[in-house]
Amino acid sequence: MESAPRNIEVKPLSSSTMLITWEPPETPNGQVTGYKVYYTTNPNQPEASWDSQMETNDMTTISELTPHAIYTIRVQAFTSMGAGPLSNPVQVKAQQGVPSQPSNFRATDVGETAVTLQWSRPTHSGENIVHYELYWNDTYANEQHHQRIPNTETYTLSSLYPDTLYYFWLSARSQRGEGATTPPIPVRTKQYVPGAPPRNVTVEATSPTTINVSWLPPPVERSNGAIVYYKVFFVEVGRSDSEATVTTLNSTSIVLDELKRWTEYKIWVLAGTSVGDGPRSYPYTVRTHEDGMYCTIC
């Protein structure tokens, strides 16, 4: 499959001029005959409306830019077969001395309430980088956040919500000012196990050999993600909990059958997410019917 030009690097030469360099596609569809460099301050518009210029080499200079504006740049290779795919977009601020985008921005470790982010220094840092600016928003409270972090290439952000989709983006700052940010990257935090057991557990003996058990899910604010299963445990009173029979299901009721007549059973329920089991409910005791007799003990 034909690939795009690689390793796009942009260096501001002044507040209105930039030098752009790149490497040829790894797998071009034939001999590369030229390149087209697209640039714009409005990347939401289709590429056909961006400013562009043709080049025969793997570098170019674009000028007459708007000072302090943030430009998005993409490069496309041409062969005798036609135009190839566009490179990934790179953003840079038209201001001499500010850093370019950090590269290879990614999440390397994701937990329930913390994310470790890692990146590489900008290829062009202008003056020395003094710190980075980290931005993120969450889809739970729908809020945007910002934090200034030290001059490092890895950072762990904590106090996040579990099972929540976040978007993170990053920029570098020198004494001259803040450079362009990376494109946002999506990261979903992991789920916890549920923080509460199922609610309103009801047990009722319905015959000498059957018991109905029903319940409601844990409170939404303590589910810590999607409930994907329930476990129902039952054991004869007097026996150890470790001898309990366990049934896993995804509904909120069950009929326990093939039980002993006129026998007391202890029953409890728990909920689980994809991470594992939550806490178990209070155990309930109920006796199956004697022939022709009805009795429920809770």
Side-chain angles (χ1 to χ4, degrees), residues 155-280:
Y155 186 75
T156 299
L157 186 67
S158 56
S159 300
L160 304 176
Y161 298 110
D163 189 35
T164 300
L165 178 63
Y166 285 86
Y167 289 90
F168 296 93
W169 59 102
L170 181 76
S171 66
R173 181 182 286 272
S174 70
Q175 294 287 359
R176 290 283 189 96
E178 181 180 359
T181 63
T182 62
I185 60 169
V187 179
R188 180 176 288 277
T189 50
K190 290 183 178 178
Q191 296 181 350
Y192 273 134
V193 299
R199 299 170 293 145
N200 297 1
V201 178
T202 302
V203 295
E204 180 184 5
T206 52
S207 81
T209 58
T210 58
I211 296 173
N212 283 354
V213 186
S214 62
W215 59 90
L216 294 176
V220 173
E221 66 275 11
R222 300 189 66 189
S223 294
N224 295 331
I227 302 298
V228 296
Y229 64 84
Y230 295 96
K231 289 182 179 179
V232 178
F233 300 75
F234 68 95
V235 66
E236 290 180 42
V237 171
R239 291 184 175 274
S240 166
D241 287 359
S242 63
E243 298 180 72
T245 300
V246 185
T247 302
T248 302
L249 67 164
N250 56 17
S251 61
T252 55
S253 66
I254 188 174
V255 176
L256 306 178
D257 56 10
E258 299 184 1
L259 305 177
K260 294 181 180 179
R261 299 170 186 272
W262 195 238
T263 302
E264 278 193 312
Y265 287 90
K266 184 167 67 170
I267 300 167
W268 65 95
V269 186
L270 63 78
T273 65
S274 61
V275 178
D277 295 349
R280 68 189 221 174

Side-chain angles (χ1 to χ4, degrees), residues 99-120:
S100 56
Q101 271 180 332
S103 59
N104 203 21
F105 183 48
R106 63 204 184 278
T108 57
D109 187 49
V110 181
E112 293 88 357
T113 61
V115 171
T116 298
L117 301 164
Q118 201 169 82
W119 59 91
S120 300

Side-chain angles (χ1 to χ4, degrees), residues 44-59:
N44 294 323
Q45 296 296 319
E47 283 81 5
S49 65
W50 294 19
D51 292 318
S52 62
Q53 58 190 54
M54 294 295 297
E55 293 294 333
T56 56
N57 300 314
D58 54 4
M59 62 182 297

